[in-house]
Amino acid sequence: MLENEPTDAQSEATDEVRSLFGEIYAAWADNDADAFVASYRDDATVVMPRAYHRDKQEIRSSMAAGFQGPLKGSRAVDEPLSIRVIGGHTAIVVSRAGILMAGEAQLPVDREVIATWVLVREDGRWLVASYANAPAH
C-alpha cells in the first residue's frame, strides 16, 4: 500500500461523510430547519462572520428564520477540498462553499467561503460537532 493511500475504513468513512453532506444540503434545499440540524450534536457550534451559534437549538432557530426570510428558495453548495478521518471517529473537512440565492445558477465570487467542519462518529453515525467559515476572497 502506498503511504498516502486510504485504507478501506478511511474510504468508507469518507463516503459516509459525503453522504452526510448530501443529507444536510437536501434539507437546506427543502428549507427544512429540523432536517438540517438532525445530524448536529446538541452542543454543536457554528462560527461565521457576524454569527456565533452555541448549540443545536440556536442553529435550528437561525436556519428556520433564514428559510422563512432571506434564505427562502436558496440552496447551498459545498465542495470538500479535504476530508481527513482521524482515529475512525473524528473527521475534519475543509470545503469551498456558498449560498445560491433563489434563481441563481452560479455562486458569485464575493459570496464564496472556505469552511471547516469537525465531525464525530457516535452510535454508528456521523454528527456535526462544529462548523466555521470565512470569506474565500
Side-chain angles (χ1 to χ4, degrees):
M1 179 177 350
L2 297 174
E3 183 177 334
N4 292 325
E5 187 176 325
T7 66
D8 288 342
Q10 289 170 324
S11 292
E12 182 178 337
T14 297
D15 291 344
E16 291 170 353
V17 166
R18 288 183 186 280
S19 178
L20 172 68
F21 277 37
E23 293 169 18
I24 290 170
Y25 288 119
W28 183 308
D30 291 341
N31 286 183
D32 185 338
D34 291 322
F36 181 83
V37 298
S39 295
Y40 279 65
R41 287 176 46 99
D42 289 342
D43 64 351
T45 56
V46 169
V47 178
M48 301 178 297
R50 298 175 301 284
Y52 170 46
H53 304 299
R54 292 174 257 309
D55 59 34
K56 182 177 184 173
Q57 186 54 43
E58 284 187 19
I59 298 163
R60 189 223 161 275
S61 294
S62 173
M63 294 307 295
F67 290 153
Q68 292 174 8
L71 297 178
K72 187 173 187 165
S74 69
R75 65 184 178 91
V77 293
D78 197 298
E79 174 192 351
L81 302 173
S82 167
I83 300 174
R84 292 178 290 148
V85 178
I86 303 165
H89 62 285
T90 303
I92 310 287
V93 181
V94 175
S95 60
R96 185 174 311 276
I99 301 169
L100 291 170
M101 303 312 281
E104 288 183 330
Q106 188 170 348
L107 180 64
V109 173
D110 66 327
R111 290 205 318 264
E112 186 177 305
V113 300
I114 299 296
T116 301
W117 300 77
V118 178
L119 310 174
V120 294
R121 188 168 175 82
E122 295 179 357
D123 299 324
R125 60 181 243 168
W126 288 99
L127 298 172
V128 178
S130 188
Y131 171 85
N133 77 38
H137 305 281

